[in-house]
Amino acid sequence: MSTLAVVGTQWGDEGKGKITDYLAENAEYVVRYQGGANAGHTVEIGKEVIALHLLPSGILRPNVINVIGNGVVLDLEALMKEVDMVRSTGRSVDGLRISDRANLVMRYHKLMDGMEERLRGAKGVGTTGRGIGPCYSDKIARNGIRMCDLLDRQALEERLDLLYPIKEKMLASMGVEGLPGKHELLDQLVEYGEIFGPYVCDTSVLINDAIRSGKRVMFEGAQGTMLDIDHGTYPYVTSSSCVTGGICTGAGVGPSSIQEIIGVVKAYTTRVGAGPFPTELRDSIGEQLLVKGGEYGATTGRARRCGWLDLVIVNYAVRLNSISSLAVTKLDVLNGMGPPKVAVAYDIDGERVKDFPASLNRLARARPIYEELEGWEDWAEGQAGDIASKGRGALPKGMRKYLDFISIQTGVPVSIIGIGRERHETIDLRSEASRS
Ligand code: IMP
Protein backbone atom coordinates (compact mmCIF):
# COMPACT_ATOMS: atom_id res chain seq x y z
CA MET A 1 0.00 0.00 0.00
CA SER A 2 1.48 3.35 -0.84
CA THR A 3 -0.69 5.34 1.57
CA LEU A 4 -1.32 4.46 5.17
CA ALA A 5 -3.08 6.20 8.04
CA VAL A 6 -2.44 5.59 11.73
CA VAL A 7 -5.17 6.69 14.14
CA GLY A 8 -5.89 6.30 17.84
CA THR A 9 -8.95 4.25 18.76
CA GLN A 10 -9.21 5.41 22.37
CA TRP A 11 -8.57 8.71 24.23
CA GLY A 12 -5.10 9.24 22.74
CA ASP A 13 -1.89 7.92 24.28
CA GLU A 14 -2.42 4.51 22.68
CA GLY A 15 1.26 4.27 21.78
CA LYS A 16 0.84 5.84 18.34
CA GLY A 17 4.28 7.45 18.70
CA LYS A 18 5.95 4.09 18.82
CA ILE A 19 3.84 2.62 16.00
CA THR A 20 4.25 5.61 13.68
CA ASP A 21 7.98 5.72 14.39
CA TYR A 22 8.15 2.00 13.56
CA LEU A 23 6.12 2.40 10.36
CA ALA A 24 8.02 5.53 9.35
CA GLU A 25 10.92 3.24 8.48
CA ASN A 26 9.10 2.43 5.25
CA ALA A 27 7.55 5.84 4.66
CA GLU A 28 8.87 8.52 2.37
CA TYR A 29 6.40 11.14 3.61
CA VAL A 30 4.87 11.45 7.10
CA VAL A 31 1.97 13.88 7.44
CA ARG A 32 0.36 15.41 10.54
CA TYR A 33 -3.13 16.65 9.73
CA GLN A 34 -4.78 17.83 12.98
CA GLY A 35 -4.15 18.87 16.55
CA GLY A 36 -1.18 20.89 17.68
CA ALA A 37 1.35 21.00 20.49
CA ASN A 38 -1.23 19.31 22.74
CA ALA A 39 -0.14 15.99 21.25
CA GLY A 40 2.69 14.06 22.80
CA HIS A 41 4.33 11.18 20.99
CA THR A 42 7.05 9.47 22.96
CA VAL A 43 9.57 7.47 20.99
CA GLU A 44 12.34 5.37 22.53
CA ILE A 45 15.38 4.57 20.44
CA GLY A 46 17.96 2.70 22.50
CA LYS A 47 18.75 5.00 25.40
CA GLU A 48 17.15 8.03 23.75
CA VAL A 49 13.66 9.04 24.85
CA ILE A 50 12.23 11.68 22.52
CA ALA A 51 8.87 13.39 23.04
CA LEU A 52 7.47 14.95 19.89
CA HIS A 53 4.53 17.35 19.97
CA LEU A 54 4.28 19.02 16.58
CA LEU A 55 6.88 17.40 14.38
CA PRO A 56 5.76 14.27 12.54
CA SER A 57 7.52 11.17 13.83
CA GLY A 58 9.35 10.63 10.52
CA ILE A 59 11.63 13.47 11.67
CA LEU A 60 13.63 10.86 13.59
CA ARG A 61 14.44 8.95 10.37
CA PRO A 62 16.75 10.19 7.64
CA ASN A 63 15.39 11.00 4.16
CA VAL A 64 11.74 11.35 5.17
CA ILE A 65 9.68 14.39 4.14
CA ASN A 66 7.74 15.48 7.23
CA VAL A 67 4.64 17.52 6.58
CA ILE A 68 2.69 19.72 8.99
CA GLY A 69 -0.63 19.94 7.17
CA ASN A 70 -3.16 22.77 6.98
CA GLY A 71 -5.37 21.14 9.63
CA VAL A 72 -2.73 21.47 12.34
CA VAL A 73 -2.77 24.50 14.63
CA LEU A 74 0.80 25.59 14.77
CA ASP A 75 2.50 27.10 17.81
CA LEU A 76 5.74 28.46 16.36
CA GLU A 77 7.31 29.01 19.77
CA ALA A 78 6.76 25.32 20.54
CA LEU A 79 7.93 24.30 17.07
CA MET A 80 11.15 26.29 17.49
CA LYS A 81 11.93 24.49 20.75
CA GLU A 82 11.20 21.12 19.19
CA VAL A 83 13.33 21.80 16.12
CA ASP A 84 16.22 22.80 18.42
CA MET A 85 15.71 19.65 20.48
CA VAL A 86 15.77 17.40 17.37
CA ARG A 87 18.86 19.18 16.02
CA SER A 88 20.57 18.71 19.40
CA THR A 89 20.26 14.93 18.90
CA GLY A 90 22.32 15.27 15.72
CA ARG A 91 19.33 14.92 13.39
CA SER A 92 18.36 17.29 10.60
CA VAL A 93 14.98 18.94 10.03
CA ASP A 94 15.68 19.70 6.37
CA GLY A 95 12.81 17.41 5.36
CA LEU A 96 10.24 19.54 7.21
CA ARG A 97 7.42 21.12 5.17
CA ILE A 98 4.77 23.41 6.67
CA SER A 99 1.42 24.17 5.08
CA ASP A 100 0.94 27.78 4.03
CA ARG A 101 -2.67 27.39 5.21
CA ALA A 102 -1.99 26.18 8.77
CA ASN A 103 -3.54 28.43 11.42
CA LEU A 104 -1.20 29.77 14.08
CA VAL A 105 -1.58 29.43 17.82
CA MET A 106 -1.00 32.93 19.19
CA ARG A 107 -0.02 33.91 22.73
CA TYR A 108 -3.57 35.14 23.30
CA HIS A 109 -4.96 31.70 22.46
CA LYS A 110 -2.98 30.18 25.31
CA LEU A 111 -4.09 32.94 27.69
CA MET A 112 -7.71 32.36 26.68
CA ASP A 113 -7.37 28.59 27.09
CA GLY A 114 -6.26 29.12 30.69
CA MET A 115 -8.98 31.68 31.32
CA GLU A 116 -11.78 29.49 29.92
CA GLU A 117 -10.62 26.56 32.01
CA ARG A 118 -10.59 28.73 35.13
CA LEU A 119 -14.11 29.95 34.38
CA ARG A 120 -15.40 26.41 33.86
CA GLY A 121 -14.05 25.59 37.32
CA ALA A 122 -14.89 22.09 38.48
CA LYS A 123 -16.53 21.38 35.09
CA GLY A 124 -13.27 22.15 33.24
CA VAL A 125 -12.29 20.03 30.23
CA GLY A 126 -8.79 19.53 31.65
CA THR A 127 -7.12 20.94 28.52
CA THR A 128 -3.39 20.84 27.98
CA GLY A 129 -3.34 24.65 28.12
CA ARG A 130 -1.73 24.84 24.67
CA GLY A 131 -4.34 27.21 23.22
CA ILE A 132 -5.88 24.54 21.01
CA GLY A 133 -9.60 25.26 21.55
CA PRO A 134 -9.33 29.05 21.18
CA CYS A 135 -7.18 28.72 18.06
CA TYR A 136 -9.60 26.32 16.33
CA SER A 137 -12.50 28.58 17.46
CA ASP A 138 -10.81 31.54 15.77
CA LYS A 139 -10.18 29.47 12.66
CA ILE A 140 -13.86 28.57 12.35
CA ALA A 141 -14.92 32.13 13.26
CA ARG A 142 -12.60 33.36 10.47
CA ASN A 143 -10.39 35.23 12.92
CA GLY A 144 -7.24 33.21 12.39
CA ILE A 145 -3.74 34.09 11.28
CA ARG A 146 -2.24 31.61 8.86
CA MET A 147 1.31 30.62 8.03
CA CYS A 148 1.15 32.37 4.64
CA ASP A 149 0.40 35.68 6.44
CA LEU A 150 3.83 35.55 8.08
CA LEU A 151 5.54 35.72 4.73
CA ASP A 152 3.88 39.02 3.86
CA ARG A 153 4.58 41.72 6.47
CA GLN A 154 1.90 44.08 5.15
CA ALA A 155 -0.82 41.40 5.13
CA LEU A 156 0.23 40.36 8.63
CA GLU A 157 0.10 43.91 9.92
CA GLU A 158 -3.39 44.39 8.47
CA ARG A 159 -4.53 41.14 10.06
CA LEU A 160 -3.12 42.09 13.46
CA ASP A 161 -4.61 45.62 13.22
CA LEU A 162 -7.98 43.96 12.93
CA LEU A 163 -7.59 41.13 15.44
CA TYR A 164 -5.31 42.49 18.15
CA PRO A 165 -7.71 45.13 19.57
CA ILE A 166 -10.48 42.51 19.78
CA LYS A 167 -8.29 40.09 21.71
CA GLU A 168 -6.89 42.88 23.87
CA LYS A 169 -10.39 44.00 24.87
CA MET A 170 -11.58 40.48 25.55
CA LEU A 171 -8.63 39.60 27.76
CA ALA A 172 -8.70 42.94 29.58
CA SER A 173 -12.42 42.59 30.30
CA MET A 174 -11.71 39.24 31.91
CA GLY A 175 -8.77 40.65 33.88
CA VAL A 176 -6.24 38.45 32.11
CA GLU A 177 -2.71 39.82 31.96
CA GLY A 178 0.33 38.79 29.97
CA LEU A 179 -0.61 39.78 26.40
CA PRO A 180 2.48 41.16 24.65
CA GLY A 181 2.12 44.49 22.85
CA LYS A 182 1.04 44.44 19.21
CA HIS A 183 4.45 45.48 17.89
CA GLU A 184 6.25 42.89 19.97
CA LEU A 185 3.88 40.24 18.60
CA LEU A 186 4.34 41.47 15.06
CA ASP A 187 8.13 41.48 15.28
CA GLN A 188 8.16 38.01 16.73
CA LEU A 189 5.87 36.68 14.01
CA VAL A 190 7.97 38.29 11.28
CA GLU A 191 11.06 36.68 12.81
CA TYR A 192 9.37 33.28 12.81
CA GLY A 193 8.33 33.91 9.21
CA GLU A 194 12.00 34.39 8.31
CA ILE A 195 13.06 31.25 10.19
CA PHE A 196 10.33 28.94 8.95
CA GLY A 197 9.62 30.58 5.56
CA PRO A 198 11.95 28.22 3.68
CA TYR A 199 9.89 25.25 4.90
CA VAL A 200 6.50 26.67 3.90
CA CYS A 201 4.68 25.47 0.79
CA ASP A 202 1.29 24.30 -0.49
CA THR A 203 1.49 20.92 1.20
CA SER A 204 -1.68 19.63 -0.49
CA VAL A 205 0.13 19.90 -3.85
CA LEU A 206 3.20 18.23 -2.35
CA ILE A 207 1.25 15.31 -0.88
CA ASN A 208 -0.97 14.74 -3.91
CA ASP A 209 2.06 14.78 -6.23
CA ALA A 210 3.77 12.27 -3.95
CA ILE A 211 0.74 9.97 -3.95
CA ARG A 212 0.37 10.23 -7.72
CA SER A 213 3.99 9.24 -8.23
CA GLY A 214 3.59 6.17 -6.01
CA LYS A 215 5.56 7.43 -3.00
CA ARG A 216 4.84 5.85 0.38
CA VAL A 217 2.87 8.40 2.39
CA MET A 218 1.84 7.93 6.02
CA PHE A 219 -0.79 10.08 7.72
CA GLU A 220 -0.12 10.31 11.42
CA GLY A 221 -3.11 10.95 13.69
CA ALA A 222 -2.79 12.81 16.98
CA GLN A 223 -5.03 12.28 20.04
CA GLY A 224 -7.68 9.59 19.48
CA THR A 225 -11.18 8.87 18.24
CA MET A 226 -12.78 9.48 21.65
CA LEU A 227 -11.27 12.99 21.71
CA ASP A 228 -12.67 13.84 18.26
CA ILE A 229 -14.68 17.06 18.23
CA ASP A 230 -17.71 15.38 16.57
CA HIS A 231 -17.53 11.78 17.72
CA GLY A 232 -15.76 11.93 21.07
CA THR A 233 -17.11 12.37 24.58
CA TYR A 234 -18.19 15.96 23.91
CA PRO A 235 -17.49 18.43 25.51
CA TYR A 236 -14.59 16.51 27.07
CA VAL A 237 -12.76 16.35 23.76
CA THR A 238 -10.11 18.22 21.85
CA SER A 239 -11.10 20.68 19.11
CA SER A 240 -10.04 18.84 15.96
CA SER A 241 -11.15 15.91 13.80
CA CYS A 242 -9.03 13.06 15.08
CA VAL A 243 -10.81 10.45 12.92
CA THR A 244 -9.59 9.52 9.44
CA GLY A 245 -12.16 11.92 7.94
CA GLY A 246 -9.90 14.67 9.29
CA ILE A 247 -7.15 13.58 6.91
CA CYS A 248 -9.07 14.85 3.89
CA THR A 249 -9.64 18.35 5.24
CA GLY A 250 -6.46 18.53 7.29
CA ALA A 251 -4.03 17.40 4.61
CA GLY A 252 -5.91 18.41 1.48
CA VAL A 253 -6.39 14.98 -0.07
CA GLY A 254 -9.51 13.15 -1.27
CA PRO A 255 -10.95 10.10 0.53
CA SER A 256 -9.73 7.59 -2.06
CA SER A 257 -6.16 8.67 -1.28
CA ILE A 258 -6.20 6.73 1.98
CA GLN A 259 -5.63 3.06 1.33
CA GLU A 260 -4.65 1.26 4.53
CA ILE A 261 -5.87 2.38 7.95
CA ILE A 262 -4.27 1.07 11.13
CA GLY A 263 -6.10 1.73 14.39
CA VAL A 264 -3.86 1.77 17.45
CA VAL A 265 -5.33 0.12 20.55
CA LYS A 266 -3.62 0.08 23.91
CA ALA A 267 -4.18 -3.31 25.61
CA TYR A 268 -6.06 -1.42 28.34
CA THR A 269 -7.63 2.04 28.41
CA THR A 270 -6.39 5.40 29.68
CA ARG A 271 -7.51 8.99 29.49
CA VAL A 272 -6.13 12.30 30.74
CA GLY A 273 -8.31 15.20 31.68
CA ALA A 274 -11.95 15.10 32.68
CA GLY A 275 -14.92 13.27 31.15
CA PRO A 276 -16.66 9.91 31.02
CA PHE A 277 -14.63 6.70 31.15
CA PRO A 278 -16.86 3.64 31.68
CA THR A 279 -14.12 1.06 32.36
CA GLU A 280 -12.06 3.29 34.68
CA LEU A 281 -10.57 1.42 37.66
CA ARG A 282 -10.19 3.44 40.83
CA ASP A 283 -8.54 0.56 42.68
CA SER A 284 -5.21 -1.20 43.02
CA ILE A 285 -5.46 -2.65 39.49
CA GLY A 286 -5.85 0.88 38.06
CA GLU A 287 -2.86 1.92 40.16
CA GLN A 288 -0.85 -1.03 38.84
CA LEU A 289 -1.63 -0.08 35.23
CA LEU A 290 -0.60 3.52 35.94
CA VAL A 291 2.73 2.56 37.46
CA LYS A 292 3.64 -0.40 35.24
CA GLY A 293 2.48 1.35 32.09
CA GLY A 294 4.26 4.60 33.00
CA GLU A 295 0.99 6.38 32.31
CA TYR A 296 2.00 10.00 32.65
CA GLY A 297 1.20 12.55 29.94
CA ALA A 298 4.03 13.28 27.48
CA THR A 299 2.86 16.91 27.18
CA THR A 300 1.74 17.84 30.70
CA GLY A 301 3.17 15.06 32.89
CA ARG A 302 -0.30 14.47 34.38
CA ALA A 303 -1.11 10.98 35.69
CA ARG A 304 -3.54 9.25 33.34
CA ARG A 305 -6.73 7.59 34.53
CA CYS A 306 -6.53 3.83 33.82
CA GLY A 307 -9.02 1.02 33.23
CA TRP A 308 -9.74 -2.23 31.41
CA LEU A 309 -9.87 -2.49 27.64
CA ASP A 310 -13.22 -1.24 26.33
CA LEU A 311 -14.22 -2.85 23.04
CA VAL A 312 -17.38 -0.75 22.82
CA ILE A 313 -15.16 2.22 22.03
CA VAL A 314 -12.73 0.25 19.87
CA ASN A 315 -15.67 -1.00 17.79
CA TYR A 316 -16.93 2.56 17.55
CA ALA A 317 -13.49 3.61 16.29
CA VAL A 318 -13.39 0.77 13.76
CA ARG A 319 -16.70 2.03 12.34
CA LEU A 320 -15.82 5.74 12.31
CA ASN A 321 -12.36 5.33 10.81
CA SER A 322 -12.82 2.39 8.38
CA ILE A 323 -9.97 0.69 10.20
CA SER A 324 -8.43 -2.14 8.19
CA SER A 325 -6.26 -3.61 10.94
CA LEU A 326 -5.25 -3.00 14.53
CA ALA A 327 -1.92 -2.34 16.20
CA VAL A 328 -2.25 -3.53 19.81
CA THR A 329 0.30 -1.90 22.10
CA LYS A 330 1.63 -2.29 25.63
CA LEU A 331 0.48 -5.89 26.04
CA ASP A 332 3.49 -6.47 28.29
CA VAL A 333 1.92 -4.17 30.91
CA LEU A 334 -0.70 -6.89 31.51
CA ASN A 335 2.01 -9.55 32.10
CA GLY A 336 1.55 -11.30 35.41
CA MET A 337 -1.50 -9.23 36.36
CA GLY A 338 -3.91 -12.13 36.53
CA PRO A 339 -7.00 -12.58 34.34
CA PRO A 340 -7.70 -9.37 32.38
CA LYS A 341 -11.25 -8.15 31.83
CA VAL A 342 -12.55 -6.69 28.58
CA ALA A 343 -15.78 -4.71 28.19
CA VAL A 344 -17.90 -5.99 25.30
CA ALA A 345 -21.06 -3.92 25.93
CA TYR A 346 -22.61 -1.55 28.48
CA ASP A 347 -25.62 -2.07 30.66
CA ILE A 348 -27.59 1.18 30.66
CA ASP A 349 -30.81 1.08 32.71
CA GLY A 350 -31.05 -2.69 32.14
CA GLU A 351 -30.54 -2.45 28.37
CA ARG A 352 -27.48 -4.07 26.69
CA VAL A 353 -25.89 -1.32 24.60
CA LYS A 354 -23.12 -1.86 22.05
CA ASP A 355 -23.13 1.50 20.25
CA PHE A 356 -21.35 4.27 22.13
CA PRO A 357 -23.98 6.72 23.43
CA ALA A 358 -23.85 10.50 22.84
CA SER A 359 -25.44 11.64 26.11
CA LEU A 360 -23.10 12.15 29.06
CA ASN A 361 -25.94 11.34 31.46
CA ARG A 362 -26.55 7.99 29.78
CA LEU A 363 -22.81 7.33 29.80
CA ALA A 364 -22.64 8.08 33.51
CA ARG A 365 -25.16 5.26 34.05
CA ALA A 366 -23.31 2.82 31.77
CA ARG A 367 -22.01 -0.25 33.58
CA PRO A 368 -19.46 -2.21 31.53
CA ILE A 369 -20.36 -5.80 30.75
CA TYR A 370 -17.08 -7.64 31.04
CA GLU A 371 -15.68 -10.91 29.79
CA GLU A 372 -12.83 -12.25 31.86
CA LEU A 373 -10.01 -13.79 29.87
CA GLU A 374 -7.06 -16.01 30.73
CA GLY A 375 -4.08 -14.26 32.32
CA TRP A 376 -0.45 -14.97 31.47
CA GLU A 377 2.89 -14.99 33.23
CA ASP A 378 5.44 -12.21 33.23
CA TRP A 379 8.72 -12.67 31.40
CA ALA A 380 12.19 -11.79 32.61
CA GLU A 381 13.36 -8.20 32.20
CA GLY A 382 14.89 -7.52 28.79
CA GLN A 383 13.31 -10.54 27.09
CA ALA A 384 10.76 -8.70 24.96
CA GLY A 385 13.11 -8.14 22.00
CA ASP A 386 14.04 -11.82 21.87
CA ILE A 387 10.39 -12.89 22.04
CA ALA A 388 9.42 -10.37 19.36
CA SER A 389 12.14 -11.65 17.05
CA LYS A 390 10.58 -15.13 17.23
CA GLY A 391 7.16 -13.86 16.19
CA ARG A 392 3.58 -14.25 17.43
CA GLY A 393 3.99 -17.98 18.18
CA ALA A 394 6.48 -17.15 20.95
CA LEU A 395 3.96 -15.07 22.90
CA PRO A 396 2.35 -16.55 26.04
CA LYS A 397 -0.87 -18.49 25.31
CA GLY A 398 -3.06 -16.08 27.29
CA MET A 399 -1.70 -13.12 25.32
CA ARG A 400 -2.43 -14.82 22.01
CA LYS A 401 -5.97 -15.57 23.19
CA TYR A 402 -6.37 -11.94 24.24
CA LEU A 403 -5.36 -10.81 20.75
CA ASP A 404 -7.70 -13.34 19.11
CA PHE A 405 -10.53 -12.08 21.31
CA ILE A 406 -9.94 -8.47 20.21
CA SER A 407 -9.87 -9.51 16.58
CA ILE A 408 -13.05 -11.58 16.79
CA GLN A 409 -14.97 -8.92 18.71
CA THR A 410 -13.98 -6.11 16.34
CA GLY A 411 -14.03 -8.10 13.09
CA VAL A 412 -10.63 -6.63 12.21
CA PRO A 413 -7.28 -8.44 12.12
CA VAL A 414 -4.42 -7.49 14.42
CA SER A 415 -1.45 -6.52 12.24
CA ILE A 416 1.08 -5.17 14.74
CA ILE A 417 1.79 -6.25 18.32
CA GLY A 418 3.71 -4.07 20.76
CA ILE A 419 5.28 -5.85 23.73
CA GLY A 420 7.77 -3.23 24.89
CA ARG A 421 8.81 0.37 24.47
CA GLU A 422 11.52 -0.06 21.89
CA ARG A 423 11.40 -0.37 18.11
CA HIS A 424 12.56 -4.01 18.10
CA GLU A 425 9.98 -5.02 20.74
CA THR A 426 7.34 -5.10 18.03
CA ILE A 427 5.86 -7.97 16.03
CA ASP A 428 4.72 -7.00 12.57
CA LEU A 429 2.29 -9.63 11.33
CA ARG A 430 2.12 -7.94 7.95
CA SER A 431 5.76 -8.84 7.36
CA GLU A 432 5.28 -12.29 8.99
CA ALA A 433 2.44 -12.92 6.52
CA SER A 434 4.51 -11.77 3.55
CA ARG A 435 7.38 -14.06 4.64
CA SER A 436 5.20 -17.17 4.94
P1 IMP B 1 -6.86 20.32 24.49
O1 IMP B 1 -6.63 19.51 23.26
O2 IMP B 1 -5.60 20.85 25.09
O3 IMP B 1 -7.89 21.39 24.26
O4 IMP B 1 -7.47 19.36 25.62
C1 IMP B 1 -8.77 18.79 25.49
C2 IMP B 1 -8.77 17.37 26.04
O5 IMP B 1 -8.01 16.52 25.18
C3 IMP B 1 -8.15 17.23 27.42
O6 IMP B 1 -8.83 16.21 28.13
C4 IMP B 1 -6.74 16.77 27.13
O7 IMP B 1 -6.16 16.06 28.20
C5 IMP B 1 -7.00 15.87 25.93
N1 IMP B 1 -5.83 15.73 25.05
C6 IMP B 1 -5.36 16.61 24.17
N2 IMP B 1 -4.28 16.12 23.53
C7 IMP B 1 -4.08 14.90 24.01
C8 IMP B 1 -3.13 13.86 23.69
O8 IMP B 1 -2.26 13.98 22.83
N3 IMP B 1 -3.29 12.70 24.40
C9 IMP B 1 -4.27 12.53 25.31
N4 IMP B 1 -5.16 13.45 25.63
C10 IMP B 1 -5.08 14.63 24.98
Side-chain angles (χ1 to χ4, degrees):
M1 288 283 182
S2 66
T3 62
L4 167 72
V6 181
V7 288
T9 61
Q10 294 155 317
W11 279 283
D13 310 318
E14 296 91 353
K16 287 187 302 300
K18 182 192 151 164
I19 298 298
T20 48
D21 167 66
Y22 173 78
L23 292 167
E25 188 177 12
N26 291 314
E28 292 163 284
Y29 288 69
V30 179
V31 182
R32 271 282 304 271
Y33 54 91
Q34 46 74 226
N38 51 348
H41 284 178
T42 310
V43 181
E44 293 196 20
I45 309 162
K47 289 201 164 32
E48 281 183 300
V49 181
I50 301 177
L52 297 174
H53 301 282
L54 276 163
L55 290 169
S57 53
I59 206 79
L60 303 177
R61 306 260 184 193
N63 308 322
V64 175
I65 301 292
N66 288 279
V67 181
I68 296 182
N70 58 280
V72 170
V73 286
L74 193 50
D75 177 344
L76 292 172
E77 247 175 287
L79 183 64
M80 195 67 245
K81 280 195 195 131
E82 215 169 306
V83 161
D84 287 345
M85 181 274 292
V86 168
R87 283 192 176 132
S88 75
T89 70
R91 294 177 176 86
S92 149
V93 296
D94 289 353
L96 177 64
R97 300 290 180 275
I98 301 171
S99 168
D100 48 8
R101 290 170 171 81
N103 270 250
L104 301 179
V105 177
M106 309 291 286
R107 290 268 194 93
Y108 49 74
H109 290 135
K110 291 184 243 182
L111 292 170
M112 287 164 119
D113 196 358
M115 177 197 73
E116 287 176 7
E117 275 293 89
R118 280 194 298 281
L119 290 175
R120 285 190 285 252
K123 298 247 161 143
V125 175
T127 73
T128 59
R130 300 296 190 268
I132 305 299
C135 183
Y136 276 116
S137 303
D138 268 353
K139 172 179 173 173
I140 301 298
R142 295 149 298 185
N143 285 331
I145 294 183
R146 297 184 302 163
M147 202 61 210
C148 58
D149 299 327
L150 296 203
L151 310 182
D152 178 344
R153 190 179 173 111
Q154 197 191 333
L156 180 61
E157 243 178 301
E158 281 171 20
R159 207 69 193 129
L160 270 184
D161 283 345
L162 171 74
L163 300 172
Y164 188 89
I166 303 175
K167 302 299 173 190
E168 195 179 28
K169 270 192 204 114
M170 280 172 73
L171 289 170
S173 72
M174 306 305 292
V176 179
E177 289 171 5
L179 180 67
K182 191 176 83 182
H183 292 290
E184 191 189 323
L185 213 54
L186 178 70
D187 289 346
Q188 198 188 46
L189 289 171
V190 169
E191 195 187 325
Y192 281 137
E194 279 160 13
I195 296 171
F196 290 112
Y199 301 95
V200 177
C201 67
D202 184 334
T203 50
S204 166
V205 171
L206 181 79
I207 299 164
N208 280 280
D209 282 352
I211 294 174
R212 215 170 300 117
S213 56
K215 299 267 193 266
R216 293 183 301 276
V217 178
M218 179 168 81
F219 298 100
E220 172 181 12
Q223 289 85 41
T225 301
M226 301 312 290
L227 289 171
D228 181 271
I229 186 71
D230 285 274
H231 303 287
T233 43
Y234 192 91
Y236 298 100
V237 292
T238 190
S239 298
S240 64
S241 298
C242 311
V243 295
T244 42
I247 297 173
C248 295
T249 51
V253 298
S256 61
S257 301
I258 312 158
Q259 294 172 312
E260 186 181 350
I261 300 171
I262 297 185
V264 186
V265 183
K266 184 149 55 185
Y268 49 98
T269 314
T270 59
R271 94 170 281 178
V272 262
F277 181 176
T279 61
E280 181 168 16
L281 293 166
R282 293 199 188 90
D283 58 11
S284 60
I285 299 177
E287 184 66 27
Q288 242 177 296
L289 292 171
L290 170 79
V291 174
K292 216 172 153 198
E295 296 296 347
Y296 297 90
T299 303
T300 60
R302 289 181 289 181
R304 298 175 184 143
R305 299 153 64 195
C306 299
W308 292 123
L309 178 62
D310 183 345
L311 289 181
V312 178
I313 70 168
V314 177
N315 273 318
Y316 183 48
V318 166
R319 162 159 63 86
L320 293 169
N321 294 292
S322 295
I323 285 169
S324 40
S325 72
L326 298 171
V328 183
T329 62
K330 298 186 94 163
L331 276 152
D332 53 304
V333 174
L334 299 181
N335 286 2
M337 271 193 56
K341 289 185 184 172
V342 177
V344 292
Y346 301 147
D347 178 323
I348 305 179
D349 305 332
E351 187 195 346
R352 189 181 170 96
V353 174
K354 291 194 86 165
D355 293 322
F356 195 82
S359 149
L360 294 191
N361 286 339
R362 259 170 77 71
L363 263 176
R365 299 197 302 278
R367 300 283 158 259
I369 299 173
Y370 286 118
E371 291 216 12
E372 190 172 282
L373 305 187
E374 196 179 301
W376 59 88
E377 293 306 302
D378 204 350
W379 52 59
E381 179 91 22
Q383 268 214 295
D386 187 38
I387 293 171
S389 70
K390 294 185 181 134
R392 188 186 191 280
L395 296 175
K397 181 159 96 3
M399 194 184 274
R400 280 182 277 134
K401 284 188 166 178
Y402 194 75
L403 289 164
D404 287 343
F405 187 79
I406 294 173
S407 213
I408 290 164
Q409 292 286 325
T410 57
V412 177
V414 171
S415 57
I416 298 177
I417 304 168
I419 56 168
R421 291 165 185 271
E422 291 206 38
R423 281 177 177 170
H424 69 286
E425 294 168 336
T426 311
I427 302 173
D428 188 344
L429 299 174
R430 302 171 326 147
S431 48
E432 273 194 12
S434 62
R435 276 201 305 271
S436 60

